Amino acid sequence: MTTLKRLLLSGALLPLALALPLQCNKENPGGMDSQDMTGGNPSDDLSNPGGGDGGGGGGDGGAGTMDLNTPDLLLLGVSPAVGPSTGMIGGSPVILDISGGNFVAGMQVRIGGQMATVEQVVSSTLMKVRLPAMLGTKGLVAVEVRHPDTRTVTRSDLFRYYYGNVALTAQGAKLDIGTQPWAIAIAELNNNNKQDVIAVNRSSNNLGVALGNGDGTFGMVGNVNTSMMGGARPTGLVLGDMNKDGFLDAIACNEGPSSVSVLLNNQTGVFARNNEYAVGSTPQAVVGADLNADTMFDVLTANSGGNNASLLYGAAGAAFTTPATSVTPGGAAQNPSSLSLVDLNKDNKPDLVLVNQLTNNISVFLWNDTTKAFEWKANYQTGVNTNPRGVTVGDFIGDGNVDVAVSLSTAAPQILILPGDGTGALGAGMLHAVSGTMNDAPLGMASADFDGDGLPDIVTTLSGSNGVALVLTRNKTPQPASFILTGKNPQAVAVGDLNADGKPDVAVANTGDNQVTILLNTSQ
């Protein structure tokens, strides 16, 4: 008997043998979620009484030996990391690359609990796998790889399904919410866990409210004038808790008197006009947030007549501090049409994007938390005669930085996506067509993840075509726009979950027929 066998039988090497399994994963750089060793290689089982020369029926020590030459089964990655729930794109099956280790002929793969077809084991570290269909499923799903020797590795952080069939479907009758609805929002106004619709109406000079039933339908509609002055022509709307009662109030900007009005919510979704404040000339849009961290809601307006923005700081008593502070871009910047607050430089403070229609550019201002003010950083051109109108923001290309998307009312309607670099600067823009109809006038914009792939998508109104364009962003690339008919001359769009199914829905303000169209997300 060899010296090694005598040592094994005597138990002298037993501590070493027991320590060996702790080294099994030392080669795995991928941090497996789980590895089932109980059904694996019998040589890995130290309790095997029949293993090796010294096993026998227990003998002197009964310790088995371990085969250190068997490599670990690894699951390290899936590419692409997202795929359609139908398993198909354009009538062709989606093929995924599964990377890992110790892949051999006869491997099995399950994705989301469904058996996938292994098209090819390219090498010990790569497999080609056909994606199974998971219709109606989105989000992260488990990927399981099984070796012919029954060893299994499962990870749930490598792959997600998105809705393979994406659709926005008009729901029931349109809402008669006021004459010429110009700006719109979706929010929970009476704290009943049901989303409501609220809009300002430019011709009827009022605020209209439709309280949601929680299923995409609506009950009572109420109205209140936005201004004490005649010819208010409200053009913008933002919601915030002005009086700190836990309910959202409305702030409307009025083009006629160049003012903003505070309309307080009585906690049932009924609003009453409170106070009115002067801002710059001819405001077109309004946004808000607690900018200076004093727990008060602050607002900014885009003033087309003043070529600037106006900042009103919130004060106690549901009020604003006056006079308004002017926020003026450097360089040529005329006729601001819209604006957005977003953190562009990752300092957890909102920065400002101002869209200048007449000079075909956007202005970026970064918030200075020391001075509690916006500082102009740069202007970015959108192109000659592009007539930029709407704006929305989000990480559209999936690199972890916030990007800016602008609607361009060019002869061939387009959107422009300017990628952010995380420092507050924007890169060269990517143009993307949204309509084949000349002079279609894309106006209002919003963004949300409509298909569940983890990236925000873009929806913009098309006034000339009486509908909206939906642009999905997948694998860092905008997809061809799809068109959804809404109503006559849509001006503005808002996103929210109107039927509580976890999917973003859309409300569209149509100025031509004085109605609001509800589009429910019926993607699957």
Side-chain angles (χ1 to χ4, degrees):
M1 183 180 295
T2 65
T3 302
L4 178 59
K5 288 182 178 180
R6 291 192 188 94
L7 289 171
L8 285 171
L9 290 172
S10 67
L13 291 184
L14 186 58
L16 175 60
L18 288 173
L20 284 174
L22 299 179
Q23 306 300 316
C24 288
N25 293 328
K26 66 180 179 179
E27 299 297 328
N28 176 15
M32 293 181 290
D33 286 352
S34 62
Q35 181 164 322
D36 183 4
M37 298 298 293
T38 61
N41 192 330
S43 65
D44 288 347
D45 187 354
L46 295 181
S47 65
N48 176 18
D53 291 342
D60 294 334
T65 60
M66 183 176 185
D67 183 0
L68 298 181
N69 295 318
T70 301
D72 288 341
L73 179 62
L74 303 179
L75 173 55
L76 302 180
V78 179
S79 180
V82 295
S85 60
T86 58
M88 308 282 285
I89 292 181
S92 300
V94 175
I95 305 299
L96 304 177
D97 286 343
I98 310 289
S99 60
N102 195 27
F103 297 161
V104 297
M107 299 291 295
Q108 292 183 346
V109 176
R110 288 182 180 272
I111 299 177
Q114 289 197 39
M115 186 68 72
T117 301
V118 178
E119 298 283 334
Q120 182 184 8
V121 178
V122 179
S123 68
S124 63
T125 60
L126 177 65
M127 287 187 290
K128 299 283 188 180
V129 175
R130 183 186 300 179
L131 181 63
M134 285 285 290
L135 196 63
T137 298
K138 72 174 181 66
L140 289 169
V141 294
V143 178
E144 176 190 284
V145 172
R146 181 175 290 269
H147 194 278
D149 66 12
T150 73
R151 284 180 296 162
T152 301
V153 177
T154 302
R155 289 185 62 170
S156 298
D157 62 338
L158 297 178
F159 180 79
R160 72 167 60 233
Y161 273 107
Y162 60 79
Y163 290 126
N165 296 320
V166 181
L168 298 176
T169 305
Q171 172 72 12
K174 297 175 185 176
L175 303 178
D176 293 312
I177 207 166
T179 306
Q180 206 176 35
W182 205 260
I184 193 167
I186 295 175
E188 186 182 330
L189 300 176
N190 52 358
N191 292 3
N192 65 348
N193 297 316
K194 299 173 183 178
Q195 299 269 283
D196 311 304
V197 172
I198 183 170
V200 291
N201 304 299
R202 192 170 184 266
S203 289
S204 51
N205 301 310
N206 60 7
L207 177 84
V209 176
L211 297 181
N213 296 321
D215 59 359
T217 65
F218 296 85
M220 180 189 67
V221 175
N223 300 95
V224 59
N225 289 340
T226 63
S227 174
M228 293 176 288
M229 308 176 194
R233 300 196 305 276
T235 53
L237 172 68
V238 67
L239 303 178
D241 187 0
M242 290 291 297
N243 55 1
K244 298 185 180 181
D245 65 350
F247 290 78
L248 291 173
D249 306 304
I251 299 93
C253 67
N254 306 297
E255 181 183 64
S258 295
S259 67
V260 296
S261 301
V262 176
L263 300 106
L264 295 181
N265 183 352
N266 76 349
Q267 302 186 3
T268 67
V270 175
F271 290 77
R273 190 175 59 244
N274 184 34
N275 287 312
E276 195 166 347
Y277 302 86
V279 293
S281 176
T282 326
Q284 298 298 302
V286 59
V287 293
D290 179 10
L291 298 171
N292 53 357
D294 64 352
T295 74
M296 304 292 181
F297 192 72
D298 313 310
V299 299
L300 291 115
T301 59
N303 308 315
S304 63
N307 299 325
N308 63 359
S310 291
L311 170 58
L312 285 167
Y313 289 105
F320 289 115
T321 300
T322 57
T325 301
S326 177
V327 181
T328 304
Q334 297 179 28
N335 196 218
S337 60
S338 59
L339 73 174
S340 181
L341 286 172
V342 64
D343 182 9
L344 291 173
N345 58 354
K346 299 183 178 180
D347 64 352
N348 296 316
K349 304 293 180 181
D351 306 306
L352 174 63
V353 177
L354 188 66
V355 177
N356 306 302
Q357 184 177 350
L358 191 60
T359 45
N360 303 305
N361 61 6
I362 66 172
S363 300
V364 170
F365 300 80
L366 300 183
W367 177 258
N368 186 323
D369 206 41
T370 301
T371 62
K372 305 298 181 184
F374 286 104
E375 295 180 351
W376 175 73
K377 179 178 177 63
N379 292 336
Y380 297 89
Q381 295 302 125
T382 60
V384 177
N385 297 323
T386 50
N387 195 29
R389 296 290 297 273
V391 62
T392 190
V393 294
D395 182 10
F396 302 118
I397 61 176
D399 63 354
N401 300 318
V402 174
D403 314 309
V404 176
V406 185
S407 61
L408 307 179
S409 295
T410 50
Q414 298 172 310
I415 60 173
L416 177 70
I417 300 176
L418 296 107
D421 68 355
T423 71
L426 302 177
M430 300 178 290
L431 286 169
H432 192 74
V434 292
S435 174
T437 302
M438 299 296 285
N439 303 307
D440 209 359
L443 301 174
M445 302 181 78
S447 58
D449 184 5
F450 290 99
D451 60 356
D453 69 347
L455 292 178
D457 309 303
I458 298 169
V459 60
T460 183
T461 60
L462 296 172
S463 182
S465 294
N466 300 324
V468 297
L470 175 62
V471 177
L472 302 175
T473 56
R474 291 181 182 155
N475 297 322
K476 303 184 179 182
T477 304
Q479 303 299 298
S482 57
F483 175 78
I484 303 99
L485 189 67
T486 60
K488 190 174 181 180
N489 304 130
Q491 165 73 23
V493 60
V495 173
D497 186 3
L498 293 171
N499 58 351
D501 66 352
K503 303 175 189 177
D505 307 307
V506 174
V508 183
N510 308 304
T511 61
D513 57 16
N514 303 318
Q515 292 180 318
V516 171
T517 300
I518 301 300
L519 300 174
L520 294 185
N521 188 341
T522 55
S523 303
Q524 58 180 338

